[in-house]
């Protein structure tokens, strides 16, 4: 196992909610997956396909069912609590309010993020050296945040907060970046800006990334691999080459073939733009 | 007349400083951590009881005061463990500890109170070192002031450290803190423990100042501390760690000044807690009423 160069390995990941009741849901059904370092995977799928559950399991929000294994950089993290998984996994949520602390300054938020995976001690949380680092991380965003280190995050716009959340998720360079529909709540223009920032940071830091999106167009355009989930399973898995010439319509055909179900645009909510 | 004003002011200042610890403790839990901790009524008395008993059996009063801080930490530790490890809601965990501490305090003191009138307290020691008589009006102020300055400096430093920042962030966005790799159980335990340590310290100093510890002396401490915090925030509108701490101490002084004046004007001491409760109710209701008048959206009242 040690010689495997894969960055993330998922083995027999199953997650059942409300087990033993009539509401029992098999949110993840025996997922097997290998990610190589610097992979940038787009994940699409209908509501309830298990996309967010998959990210939650990887991030340690809840453990997989017994027997499931999550291995990052050769280390088994299955069953570790969320704050311990966080040293390997950075995450940006759909809602910018979740990824940032509103009543604290930009600087304080970044100081919290900088110490991901490091012991927190009795040194000053911020000093000149760290502030310089924060400024140089914020400047490329082009939003002027580098001059607003003391501003309360609650006074920033949604787009600015999400851009900050993105920097916070990556500033300590975790092994894996999880993006959970992180542009879904932003207006189209801001969404485009945050998406480009994502692309820039992922490329520059060579982050291994899993991005959930509802937008097929986007899934085809970004990333080097595309995964489609349905009812807790991975039904389509395409590499760069396979997806490079595809159109949204091809993707729908692929989905119908793989899932054995007709594509229903309303219920599945895969936007075609 | 001037003499009376001087008396009122210096007495309020002294009480403002001593009860400032309680207010800082409550500020740490209610405001910084967002953890409504009701242990306080019990841990205040616990600090007084432990110090009283230790001084009576001949322990150095400074050590006895320090011990109060230690047992206060333990009381806070118990409450926060109930909450973080057994998932008992914060409010209920605090009430359970408060009730448990009532019995524990009776056991510690072996009765309803302990007299310190003929014992050597930290006040006696400091007066002796400084060559002051207890009748000098600023004598007690010096000791209370020195203690507050020490606690202020330590907290002002601590809340800016990496751990202190994680503690503050826990009250703002717990999910984010976990997602960034900090253990929110640990920060909660730390914050609630320190808070109760400070409250017990206040109990120890108050008991030595008044010459006795009594099982009922902690009743209403939470409401009193909350009133101080609210007054401090309203008057000084502080931003930043240092100013917030100073505002809380300032708020305690103003609250004590109001109480002292009201008592001098003939208010029955027994009515004090009712007045304080009304004060807090009014302060909490004002933002709601303002929103209602402006027809803004109102969230449903929190149940916990």
């Amino acid at each position: 196992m040690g010689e495997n160069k894969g960055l993330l390995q998922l083995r027999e990941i199953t997650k059942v909610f409300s087990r033993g009741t009539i509401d029992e849901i098999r949110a993840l059904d025996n997922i097997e997956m290998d990610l190589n370092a610097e992979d940038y995977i787009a994940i699409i799928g209908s509501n309830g396909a298990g996309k967010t559950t998959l990210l939650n399991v990887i991030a340690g929000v809840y453990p997989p069912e017994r027997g499931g294994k999550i291995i990052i950089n050769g280390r088994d993290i299955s069953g570790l609590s969320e704050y311990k998984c966080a040293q390997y996994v950075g995450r940006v949520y759909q809602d910018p309010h979740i990824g940032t602390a509103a009543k604290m300054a930009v600087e304080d938020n970044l100081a919290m993020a900088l110490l991901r995976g490091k012991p927190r001690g009795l040194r000053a949380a911020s000093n000149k050296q760290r502030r310089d680092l924060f400024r140089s991380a914020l400047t490329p965003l082009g939003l002027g945040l580098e001059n607003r280190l003391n501003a309360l995050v609650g006074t920033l716009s949604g787009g600015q907060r999400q851009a900050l959340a993105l920097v916070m998720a990556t500033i300590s360079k975790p092994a894996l970046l999880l993006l959970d529909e992180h542009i879904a709540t932003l207006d189209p223009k801001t969404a485009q800006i945050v998406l480009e920032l994502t692309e820039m940071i992922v490329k520059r830091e060579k982050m291994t990334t899993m991005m959930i999106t509802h937008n097929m167009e986007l899934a085809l355009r970004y990333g080097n691999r595309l995964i489609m989930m349905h009812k807790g399973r991975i039904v389509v898995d395409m590499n760069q080459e396979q997806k490079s010439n595809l159109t949204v319509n091809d993707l729908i055909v692929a989905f119908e073939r793989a899932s054995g179900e007709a594509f229903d645009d309303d219920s599945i909510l895969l936007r075609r733009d | 007349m001037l003499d009376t004003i001087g008396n009122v002011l210096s007495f309020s200042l002294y009480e403002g400083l001593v009860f400032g610890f309680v207010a800082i403790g409550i500020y740490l839990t209610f405001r910084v951590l967002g953890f409504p901790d009701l242990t306080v009524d019990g841990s205040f008395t616990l600090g007084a009881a432990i110090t009283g008993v230790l001084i009576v059996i001949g322990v150095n009063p400074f050590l006895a005061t320090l011990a109060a801080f230690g047992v206060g930490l333990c009381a806070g530790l118990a409450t926060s463990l109930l909450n973080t490890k057994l998932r008992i809601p914060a409010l209920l965990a605090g009430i359970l500890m408060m009730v448990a501490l009532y019995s524990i305090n009776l056991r510690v003191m072996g009765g309803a109170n302990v007299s310190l009138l003929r014992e050597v307290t930290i006040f006696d020691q400091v007066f002796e070192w400084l060559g002051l008589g207890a009748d000098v009006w600023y004598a007690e102020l010096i000791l209370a002031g020195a203690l507050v300055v020490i606690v202020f400096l330590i907290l002002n430093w601590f809340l800016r450290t990496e751990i202190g920042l994680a503690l503050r962030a826990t009250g703002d966005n717990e999910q984010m803190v976990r997602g960034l790799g900090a253990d929110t159980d640990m920060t909660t335990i730390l914050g609630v423990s320190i808070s109760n340590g400070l409250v017990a310290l206040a109990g120890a100093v108050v008991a030595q100042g008044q010459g006795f510890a009594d099982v009922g002396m902690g009743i209403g401490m939470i409401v009193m501390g909350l009133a101080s915090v609210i007054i401090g925030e309203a008057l000084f509108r502080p931003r930043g760690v240092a100013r917030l701490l100073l505002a809380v101490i300032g708020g305690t002084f103003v609250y004590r000044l109001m109480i002292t004046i009201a008592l001098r004007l003939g208010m029955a001491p027994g009515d004090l807690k009712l007045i304080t409760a009304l004060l807090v109710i009014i302060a909490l209701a004002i933002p709601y009423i303002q929103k209602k008048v402006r027809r803004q959206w109102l969230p449903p009242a929190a149940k916990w």
Side-chain angles (χ1 to χ4, degrees):
Chain A
M1 290 293 272
E3 62 269 25
N4 196 324
K5 278 184 294 183
L7 182 123
L8 172 73
Q9 290 148 277
L10 302 180
R11 295 288 173 267
E12 293 176 43
I13 299 294
T14 297
K15 186 70 200 174
V16 180
F17 292 114
S18 313
R19 186 186 281 281
T21 72
I22 49 167
D23 297 324
E24 180 171 310
I25 295 166
R26 193 164 280 262
L28 293 176
D29 192 0
N30 208 12
I31 298 269
E32 299 269 335
M33 197 171 168
D34 283 278
L35 256 77
N36 294 318
E38 299 182 39
D39 263 354
Y40 183 177
I41 298 193
I43 303 172
I44 53 177
S46 49
N47 287 330
K51 307 181 299 289
T52 297
T53 307
L54 181 64
L55 296 203
N56 277 339
V57 166
I58 295 172
V61 175
Y62 29 69
E65 302 299 325
R66 242 169 252 288
K69 268 192 163 38
I70 304 158
I71 296 158
I72 289 190
N73 274 339
R75 190 166 303 176
D76 187 351
I77 64 161
S78 26
L80 289 189
S81 53
E82 186 182 3
Y83 83 92
K84 282 185 179 150
C85 289
Q87 61 182 302
Y88 308 105
V89 180
R91 188 171 187 186
V92 184
Y93 305 85
Q94 183 171 1
D95 183 353
H97 294 86
I98 299 177
T100 51
K103 285 181 242 156
M104 302 184 83
V106 171
E107 174 182 319
D108 292 335
N109 275 267
L110 286 164
M112 277 300 296
L114 185 66
L115 294 172
R116 174 200 301 281
K118 300 190 188 82
R120 287 164 209 268
L122 292 174
R123 280 156 303 186
S126 265
N127 55 33
K128 179 158 188 316
Q129 190 196 345
R130 285 184 184 173
R131 272 190 285 273
D132 288 343
L133 177 70
F134 299 156
R135 281 195 199 93
S136 63
L138 292 172
T139 307
L141 302 184
L143 299 172
L145 288 177
E146 64 276 13
N147 301 318
R148 299 182 63 189
L149 284 186
N150 285 317
L152 293 185
V153 168
T155 65
L156 305 182
S157 71
Q160 287 173 324
R161 275 182 85 159
Q162 201 64 323
L164 176 64
L166 192 61
V167 172
M168 287 169 64
T170 52
I171 195 166
S172 63
K173 302 188 172 50
L176 183 65
L177 175 64
L178 304 179
L179 305 172
D180 191 352
E181 289 191 64
H182 69 305
I183 57 165
T185 60
L186 305 174
D187 66 81
K189 197 174 154 221
T190 316
Q192 190 57 39
I193 293 171
V194 172
L195 195 61
E196 277 160 22
L197 292 174
T198 308
E199 187 78 354
M200 179 185 79
I201 290 175
V202 167
K203 289 261 160 64
R204 191 186 61 204
E205 307 292 344
K206 300 185 166 54
M207 298 285 311
T208 310
T209 305
M210 296 173 81
M211 175 174 74
I212 295 181
T213 174
H214 264 146
N215 187 324
M216 285 190 166
E217 195 72 50
L218 215 130
L220 285 172
R221 194 147 22 103
Y222 291 90
N224 66 348
R225 190 171 159 192
L226 187 151
I227 278 175
M228 191 185 274
M229 292 184 69
H230 184 64
K231 292 186 175 167
R233 293 171 168 274
I234 294 173
V235 291
V236 175
D237 187 346
M238 293 175 178
N239 60 25
Q240 177 84 49
E241 203 183 334
Q242 288 167 316
K243 74 166 195 154
S244 57
N245 296 317
L246 286 191
T247 64
V248 170
N249 275 327
D250 297 332
L251 213 49
I252 292 171
V253 173
F255 171 83
E256 287 177 341
R257 198 179 303 141
S259 66
E261 285 178 29
F263 183 83
D264 181 342
D265 208 11
D266 274 355
S267 73
I268 290 186
L269 279 178
L270 294 169
R271 235 182 296 142
R272 304 174 65 175
D273 289 344
Chain B
M1 181 64 192
L2 270 178
D3 203 35
T4 315
I5 293 175
N7 263 334
V8 168
L9 276 178
S10 73
F11 184 66
S12 306
L13 190 54
Y14 162 73
E15 293 219 304
L17 291 170
V18 176
F19 286 101
F21 293 129
V22 179
I24 289 176
I26 289 197
Y27 166 72
L28 269 181
T29 48
F30 276 74
R31 285 290 197 260
V32 176
L33 274 178
F35 186 111
D37 177 27
L38 304 192
T39 318
V40 171
D41 279 16
S43 50
F44 183 81
T45 314
L46 180 67
I50 291 283
T51 305
V53 169
L54 286 179
I55 287 176
V56 167
I57 63 171
V59 174
N60 175 298
F62 285 98
L63 279 181
T65 308
L66 204 61
F69 182 73
V71 293
L73 281 180
C74 295
L77 180 71
T79 302
S80 51
L81 285 177
L82 289 181
N83 175 250
T84 56
K85 301 306 176 192
L86 298 181
R87 300 280 184 240
I88 295 173
L91 215 49
L92 191 53
I95 292 171
L96 289 169
M97 271 311 291
M98 178 175 83
V99 170
L101 282 172
Y102 188 85
S103 301
I104 291 172
N105 290 333
L106 282 174
R107 283 279 172 195
V108 167
M109 293 190 286
N113 49 53
V114 171
S115 171
L116 293 171
L117 286 178
R118 273 186 299 257
E119 309 293 337
V120 178
T121 65
I122 47 172
F123 289 99
D124 301 320
Q125 290 248 299
V126 170
F127 297 164
E128 196 186 312
W129 292 340
L130 297 176
L132 295 169
D135 50 338
V136 183
W137 68 270
Y138 55 83
E140 289 168 331
L141 276 182
I142 292 176
L143 178 58
L147 282 173
V148 167
V149 168
I150 291 169
V151 167
F152 169 77
L153 289 177
I154 292 176
L155 275 183
N156 187 31
W157 160 77
F158 174 72
L159 287 174
R160 293 162 197 267
T161 63
E162 293 166 354
I163 297 178
L165 177 66
L167 201 153
R168 285 189 287 144
T170 302
D172 197 350
N173 187 343
E174 204 171 326
Q175 185 174 0
M176 179 202 81
V177 173
R178 271 195 301 272
L180 293 175
D183 184 358
T184 49
D185 283 359
M186 193 275 287
T187 52
T188 302
I189 290 167
L190 199 61
V192 176
S193 299
I194 293 173
S195 164
N196 281 286
L198 289 174
V199 171
L201 181 67
V205 176
V206 168
Q208 294 178 73
Q210 67 187 15
F212 64 91
D214 179 89
V215 75
M217 68 191 281
I219 296 172
M221 273 305 133
I222 297 152
V223 179
M224 186 224 83
L226 258 185
S228 306
V229 170
I230 291 168
I231 291 171
E233 285 176 336
L235 285 182
F236 305 108
R237 305 198 172 279
R239 237 203 95 181
V241 174
R243 288 184 192 177
L244 268 162
L245 290 174
L246 288 175
V248 170
I249 296 168
T252 317
F253 167 65
V254 172
Y255 166 74
R256 283 284 145 185
L257 187 63
M258 285 158 57
I259 295 297
T260 310
I261 291 171
L263 287 173
R264 293 255 169 170
L265 292 178
M267 184 184 79
D271 294 341
L272 201 134
K273 294 194 200 309
L274 174 65
I275 305 287
T276 308
L278 286 175
L279 200 73
V280 172
I281 291 170
I282 292 167
L284 292 178
I286 284 174
Y288 172 79
I289 292 166
Q290 278 177 338
K291 280 187 182 171
K292 190 124 191 164
V293 170
R294 293 194 206 115
R295 293 173 168 260
Q296 284 169 336
W297 178 77
L298 293 158
K303 296 291 190 295
W304 285 107

